[in-house]
């Protein structure tokens, strides 16, 4: 059975990359992580990838005159590995429209907010400043519109009184770690397919993925069994 090929882009800690790698390592799904590529040579995630026996590569954005030149170099490194899917996992680069086109339908990002709310940076602080009661993470297709591509999966967490950005990030991260591998498996298996109208779910899983069940919405345990409105 041929394996689906997965590339992962990182810029820093790489905990989502590690969670994806560990999730697939624990399951008999026909998926191979063919490369972990960082735009920063100092990214801690490179060591985490090495520890897992994954091939690592660096394309340092500081070696290129502009975004287009860097994205072309990055695209070339990715193309060499022939990935079925590319995950941006804490990859802190805005990607050019050409890069999005080159990987259309096979480029995902995980973003720490319930998109389309709070695109961009500092999401946890902005959520707290606005006083909203739920927060979360979103896996979406990457398009030329920053953080606005079609949504594939979301995880929801409660916001507590007295929360800080750091506490919110800490509560959200384990949910991201559950969400991202599942979303990747949904695309690799053919269960989720990007169409001009958005994600189409319910496709027949490819050979070897029959046991996989996609949960496109994950609720934090504190939210999952609570009534929406307390009465008395
Ligand atoms: C994650 O929380 C991810 O959602 C976020 O950066 C963190 C990376 O952590 N991504 C973005 O903000 C993208 N705009 P990790 O390096 O440990 O996976």
């Amino acid at each position: 059975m041929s394996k689906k090929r997965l590339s992962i882009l990182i810029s820093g800690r790489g905990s989502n990359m590690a969670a994806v790698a560990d999730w697939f390592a624990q399951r008999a799904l026909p998926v191979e992580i063919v490369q972990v590529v960082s735009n920063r040579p100092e990214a801690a995630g490179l060591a985490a990838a090495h520890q897992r026996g994954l091939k690592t590569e660096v394309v340092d954005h500081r070696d290129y005159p502009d975004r287009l030149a860097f994205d072309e170099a990055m695209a070339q490194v990715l193309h060499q590995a022939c990935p079925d899917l590319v995950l941006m996992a804490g990859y802190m680069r805005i990607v050019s429209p050409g890069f999005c086109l080159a990987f259309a339908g096979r480029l995902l990002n995980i973003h720490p907010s319930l998109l389309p709310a709070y695109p961009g940076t500092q999401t946890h602080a902005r959520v707290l400043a606005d006083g909203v009661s739920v927060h979360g993470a979103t896996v979406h297709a990457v398009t030329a519109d920053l953080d606005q591509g079609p949504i594939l999966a979301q995880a929801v967490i409660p916001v507590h009184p007295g929360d800080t950005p750091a506490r919110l990030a800490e509560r959200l991260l384990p949910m991201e770690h559950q969400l991202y591998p599942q979303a990747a498996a949904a695309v690799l298996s053919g269960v989720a397919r990007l169409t001009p109208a958005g994600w189409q779910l319910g496709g027949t899983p490819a050979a070897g993925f029959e046991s996989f069940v996609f949960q496109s919405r994950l609720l934090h345990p504190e939210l999952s069994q609570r009534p929406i409105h307390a009465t008395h």
Side-chain angles (χ1 to χ4, degrees):
M1 187 187 314
S2 75
K3 288 193 173 182
K4 299 291 181 186
R5 301 170 68 80
L6 181 60
S7 295
I8 307 182
L9 296 176
I10 64 169
S11 297
R13 179 178 55 180
S15 74
N16 275 289
M17 176 280 301
V20 169
D22 294 346
W23 191 91
F24 282 109
Q26 286 155 16
R27 286 164 179 80
L29 297 175
V31 172
E32 182 184 357
I33 298 175
V34 289
Q35 60 186 173
V36 173
V37 193
S38 174
N39 66 303
R40 292 185 170 277
E42 69 276 17
L46 288 169
H50 269 300
Q51 277 168 14
R52 289 165 173 79
L54 302 175
K55 178 183 179 191
T56 59
E57 291 170 87
V58 174
V59 185
D60 190 335
H61 63 277
R62 289 163 292 200
D63 292 343
Y64 297 87
D66 54 31
R67 186 180 306 286
L68 280 187
F70 167 72
D71 273 2
E72 260 175 43
M74 181 59 92
Q76 212 166 14
V77 166
L78 290 171
H79 283 315
Q80 276 161 12
C82 299
D84 295 292
L85 180 65
V86 179
L87 300 183
M88 291 171 39
Y91 181 61
M92 305 308 266
R93 297 282 308 173
I94 293 174
V95 289
S96 54
F99 187 90
C100 299
L101 262 186
F103 297 97
R106 52 191 179 119
L107 181 61
L108 298 180
N109 181 44
I110 187 159
H111 179 80
S113 80
L114 291 173
L115 291 173
Y118 305 105
T121 58
Q122 311 291 334
T123 57
H124 310 306
R126 286 156 60 208
V127 157
L128 291 175
D130 286 346
V132 301
S133 65
V134 288
H135 183 36
T138 303
V139 177
H140 64 96
V142 179
T143 64
D145 297 325
L146 179 69
D147 297 332
Q148 299 297 321
I151 290 171
L152 175 58
Q154 291 187 305
V156 187
I157 65 166
V159 178
H160 292 162
D163 261 343
T164 60
R167 273 195 230 142
L168 267 187
E170 194 184 327
R171 194 174 310 123
L172 185 58
L173 200 60
M175 300 291 287
E176 293 188 35
H177 293 170
Q178 289 179 51
L179 190 72
Y180 212 7
Q182 285 202 60
V187 179
L188 289 168
S189 64
V191 165
R193 202 167 55 86
L194 190 61
T195 73
W199 288 101
Q200 199 170 60
L201 303 182
T204 308
F209 288 94
E210 294 84 357
S211 62
F212 167 65
V213 179
F214 177 41
Q215 287 176 278
S216 61
R217 184 198 292 152
L218 296 181
L219 292 183
H220 189 277
E222 285 173 25
L223 294 173
S224 56
Q225 299 300 329
R226 296 255 176 110
I228 294 173
H229 299 289
T231 42
H232 298 289

